[in-house]
Amino acid sequence: KKLKNVHSALSAEEVEVNSSAYPGLDSLAAYLVTPKVLNHKDKEVRLFTSLCCVEVFYLYAPEPPWDSNECISVFEQIISQLSNLAHCHSATQTNYAMYFHILEQLAQVKIGVVLVELIRQGDEN
């Protein structure tokens, strides 16, 4: 429920990174990528974590607040969440709107570019 509220706040308001009005944004970003949250046993927690992560990507664009390994973990969870679309046969089904929102954010912010850059960096090392 807390992550649901966080997602609502991140997506509904004009949140500014490094603003005194949102002093805990960096801490929130760090919290979202902890294995305890990102790989939580509850599927709804994982879904809302992914939703919050795409909002954080949006807020911090073009530079995500996470290191390469954390970004890859976020992408893995996002892909896992999007795989649930295979079970949605109608836009009225539970969670469809949330999966769709993840796709919208991926497209709008061009988050995939971050993934390509991470892969390119990995190939260079």
Side-chain angles (χ1 to χ4, degrees):
K1 181 171 172 143
K2 288 180 185 179
L3 283 172
K4 188 175 185 177
N5 293 339
V6 169
H7 173 255
S8 293
L10 289 175
S11 60
E13 297 181 18
E14 292 295 321
V15 178
E16 291 183 33
V17 176
N18 298 324
S19 165
S20 61
Y22 301 96
L25 205 50
D26 289 337
S27 296
L28 172 64
Y31 174 74
L32 290 171
V33 295
T34 60
K36 174 184 172 186
V37 179
L38 195 58
N39 300 316
H40 198 276
K41 64 182 178 182
D42 185 277
K43 65 183 180 180
E44 191 166 300
V45 171
R46 292 190 308 270
L47 173 58
F48 278 101
T49 299
S50 296
L51 284 162
C52 289
C53 285
V54 295
E55 296 299 335
V56 168
F57 267 118
Y58 174 80
L59 293 170
Y60 281 84
E63 290 295 322
W66 305 297
D67 65 30
S68 298
N69 291 331
E70 291 167 334
C71 282
I72 289 171
S73 294
V74 168
F75 280 115
E76 288 171 346
Q77 187 54 249
I78 288 171
I79 290 166
S80 175
Q81 291 304 312
L82 292 176
S83 70
N84 292 321
L85 278 169
H87 307 292
C88 289
H89 305 289
S90 165
T92 59
Q93 282 186 268
T94 304
N95 298 336
Y96 178 87
M98 289 179 264
Y99 300 135
F100 190 80
H101 182 72
I102 291 172
L103 285 172
E104 283 182 317
Q105 286 296 78
L106 289 172
Q108 182 180 11
V109 184
K110 298 176 178 57
I111 296 171
V113 174
V114 173
L115 184 57
V116 170
E117 188 61 32
L118 290 172
I119 292 169
R120 186 180 312 149
Q121 289 175 1
D123 289 344
E124 292 174 1
N125 295 332

